[in-house]
Amino acid sequence: MPALRSETVLSMHHWNNKLFSFRTTRDRGFRFKNGQFIMVGIKVEGRPVMRAYSIASPNHEDHLEFFSIKISDGALTSRLCHIDIGDEVLLSAKPVGTLVLDDLNPGKRLFLLATGTGLAPFLSVIQDPETYEHFDDVILVHGVRHADDLAYQDFIDHDLLQMPYIGELAAKQLRYFTTVTRNEHPCQERIPALLTSGRLCSDLAIAPLDPATDRAMICGSMAMLRDTEAALETLGFVGSPKQGVPGDFVIERAFAEST
């Protein structure tokens, strides 16, 4: 197990009976790139139980925020969802991950494609001034099963736009698109279908996807990753082959199983 440090829970929020988020203190020496993840956990019977969590807060904040699913029989999340203010959680010291701007080729539009808690890394990315410096337009797409799974919707629609400096950038350059597959909603299609059919760009009234100028980041379930990667490749996009080598799109594969 890599070196671990202890941080204190500052706040806890339950979005519904399946999703929660929490904030912790942040060691002053801890540095990360927006979009990266670390291992987060607690001690169970004296031993650490850890899993990978994207950091949802941007790297300029003095706290860390994480977004999680609840699994009733999960080794970690069944316990982690009961933490409260003042409790201690364990964090690994080294951030890693492929959802970073450095691994994308230069482009004009950035598509952030997420399902479920795969939204987490993009919450930090859309609060990063460099995102808006690198790209003219940023399109955040969040796909969920049920309408009440659209966590952070009010934050993206309202709170983000009130933030000093970032709010002005987001108001001009950020577009937010949601799709809900199991409830009545203006869009009920899966993200891969939205890409291949052209509906995403059509509904947003923007130009069709173009591998010459568009870039993408993808985070979600393994099925979503597989199908979205295939959809982009069909459209002529070439993914980053490995960390440190830029591509037209990048994928985070660290969250195949949540426990």
Side-chain angles (χ1 to χ4, degrees):
M1 179 66 65
L4 301 177
R5 67 184 186 280
S6 178
E7 297 288 358
T8 304
V9 176
L10 297 174
S11 66
M12 184 78 171
H13 182 79
H14 295 270
W15 298 97
N16 55 26
N17 62 359
K18 297 169 291 183
L19 300 168
F20 69 101
S21 59
F22 59 98
R23 289 183 177 182
T24 74
T25 53
R26 174 183 175 181
D27 186 279
R28 290 185 178 180
F30 178 64
R31 299 287 183 269
F32 67 94
K33 294 181 180 180
N34 292 312
Q36 289 186 314
F37 69 88
I38 56 175
M39 302 301 292
V40 178
I42 56 176
K43 283 188 177 181
V44 179
E45 297 179 353
R47 301 185 64 179
V49 176
M50 315 288 292
R51 61 154 288 209
Y53 275 90
S54 290
I55 304 170
S57 48
N59 57 13
H60 55 75
E61 290 284 7
D62 60 3
H63 63 265
L64 299 174
E65 184 161 345
F66 304 96
F67 180 32
S68 179
I69 193 171
K70 302 177 186 179
I71 299 178
S72 59
D73 58 350
L76 176 60
T77 59
S78 63
R79 297 175 171 89
L80 193 62
C81 68
H82 295 296
I83 60 174
D84 206 346
I85 296 172
D87 289 345
E88 299 294 312
V89 295
L90 301 174
L91 307 180
S92 62
K94 184 179 180 181
V96 291
T98 55
L99 299 177
V100 293
L101 296 176
D102 294 344
D103 282 357
L104 289 173
N105 292 320
K108 294 183 178 180
R109 299 190 301 188
L110 174 62
F111 289 79
L112 305 173
L113 309 173
T115 54
T117 55
L119 177 70
F122 303 145
L123 292 170
S124 67
V125 171
I126 63 174
Q127 296 180 74
D128 186 348
E130 288 193 20
T131 301
Y132 302 98
E133 293 171 6
H134 280 70
F135 296 94
D136 297 334
D137 299 293
V138 180
I139 298 93
L140 172 62
V141 183
H142 190 200
V144 297
R145 294 179 178 178
H146 304 283
D148 68 349
D149 295 333
L150 288 171
Y152 291 96
Q153 185 173 32
D154 286 344
F155 169 78
I156 298 167
D157 278 336
H158 304 292
D159 297 356
L160 176 65
L161 305 183
Q162 305 305 314
M163 292 182 172
Y165 185 58
I166 288 293
E168 293 183 20
L169 297 174
K172 294 177 181 178
Q173 297 172 246
L174 178 67
R175 302 288 297 276
Y176 173 49
F177 186 93
T178 60
T179 180
V180 179
T181 58
R182 297 187 183 180
N183 289 145
E184 286 295 324
H185 193 75
C187 180
Q188 294 180 279
E189 289 190 48
R190 294 181 66 235
I191 289 175
L194 290 172
L195 300 177
T196 54
S197 69
R199 179 178 174 182
L200 175 62
C201 293
S202 177
D203 280 8
L204 289 170
I206 59 177
L209 285 165
D210 182 354
T213 56
D214 293 332
R215 303 294 172 251
M217 294 181 170
I218 313 169
C219 192
S221 68
M222 288 304 295
M224 180 269 194
L225 297 179
R226 180 190 65 241
D227 295 345
T228 305
E229 180 178 25
L232 288 174
E233 289 176 344
T234 298
L235 293 169
F237 290 79
V238 178
S240 167
K242 62 180 180 179
Q243 193 168 354
V245 180
D248 299 333
F249 65 89
V250 290
I251 291 177
E252 186 55 79
R253 304 182 187 274
F255 310 102
E257 296 295 335
S258 300
T259 59

